[in-house]
Amino acid sequence: MAVPIVAVVAFNHFSPFHLSVPCIIFGDLLHDQKLFELKIYTEESGSIQSHEGLSVQSSLSIEELAQADIIIVPSWRDPAEKPNQAMLDAMVEAHARGNQVVGLCLGTYVLAYAGLLKNHKAATHWEFEQDFISRFPDVDLDCNALYVDDDRLITSAGTAAGLDCCLYLVRRRYGSAIANKLARRMVIPPYREGGQAQFIERPIPFTTKDARINTLLDYLRNNLNKIHGLDELAEHSKMSRRTFTRQFYKATGMSVGEWLLIERLQRSQELLESTSLAIDAIAEQIGFQSTASLRQHFKRRFNVTPSEWRRTFRGHQKLR
């Protein structure tokens, strides 16, 4: 099966760091598993250079750019400069095909110049927020987000947030296990706290340093549909209730109730994205006492309803 084609846009006077971020994440970082086909598209013809003298050549035509599964603009050299129209048109065409278009850091400006971000949420480097708002008042700029995904238009804040955003894209395609593997290979956290990361999952640690608590977490994950009391769980862990609650918090950083809620909501995301189960069936399967309770907690945590989440992350996929 063909892997997704990722087209990274380069331009004269590019930043080597910003260009390298998507090239590392979507290149052959996992040597035993090819996840993406990475291609470079240059905004100008011929070889282009960074200020440091590094040169890059294009491996894509403008027609092939429009066909890419993911287009990534890793930065932009000047917020006041509008990119060439042919490239902007190719990005619009790619998005219209149902593909993802990504702007990292000042790359958000390029998406905005293409008209893609009109009436959509977006993020960019905090130093340029006021400039961006003045140039593109019809874009709903989130000034506190590390990255934002709105209708396959993914934008990020500056510098290192590009890594967070690229790992998010991997996670959406291949799941947390692969994204975490990439993060470990790069010696970076798979998820960083900070900002209002709307529409973005927040995986909780799968294990802790406490073997007894790990055994309990496995039990809870396999029995999310059941009601669990502290006395029952303490007995299951062969501890007193007081010792159990203290050890659970020490191992996970949260109460049993908080952990269960986060785990149930994360499972609901997975089921919404990967199945066509009715929302009331999902609520029952993961242990919410009512569909209304699932909707209430889901909306409070992610600022969208379960149905909206499903539409966003399944998108063009046909529900069976």
Side-chain angles (χ1 to χ4, degrees), residues 106-250:
L106 298 189
T108 303
Y109 277 82
V110 178
L111 273 64
Y113 276 121
L116 287 167
L117 297 179
K118 184 176 182 180
N119 299 324
H120 286 285
K121 293 182 182 295
T124 193
H125 194 291
W126 62 269
E127 287 187 308
F128 293 86
E129 286 169 357
Q130 292 308 311
D131 177 79
F132 187 93
I133 290 170
S134 66
R135 293 180 190 276
F136 308 106
D138 54 1
V139 178
D140 183 7
L141 189 68
D142 186 336
C143 298
N144 192 40
L146 284 177
Y147 49 101
V148 172
D149 184 345
D150 188 356
D151 188 27
R152 292 171 287 102
L153 299 167
I154 302 96
T155 51
S156 82
T159 318
L163 284 167
D164 299 303
C165 186
C166 288
L167 284 175
Y168 163 73
L169 290 166
V170 174
R171 191 179 299 120
R172 292 261 51 84
R173 291 270 176 168
Y174 292 105
S176 293
I178 293 295
N180 292 349
K181 187 175 182 180
L182 286 173
R184 285 195 297 270
R185 181 66 60 85
M186 295 189 64
V187 199
I188 59 175
Y191 180 88
R192 287 194 302 142
E193 293 289 347
Q196 303 172 34
Q198 293 184 352
F199 308 104
I200 299 171
E201 68 178 354
R202 182 184 176 184
I204 57 179
F206 198 79
T207 62
T208 74
K209 295 180 180 180
D210 189 320
R212 288 183 298 177
I213 296 300
N214 290 340
T215 300
L216 177 68
L217 297 185
D218 289 339
Y219 167 75
L220 290 174
R221 288 189 175 102
N222 291 324
N223 293 276
L224 284 179
N225 61 317
K226 298 178 181 178
I227 298 175
H228 301 284
L230 288 178
D231 291 331
E232 168 229 334
L233 296 179
E235 182 179 352
H236 187 277
S237 302
K238 295 180 173 55
M239 304 182 207
S240 69
R241 174 171 171 153
R242 183 176 180 180
T243 300
F244 167 70
T245 55
R246 184 175 64 250
Q247 291 299 111
F248 191 95
Y249 187 86
K250 181 180 179 180

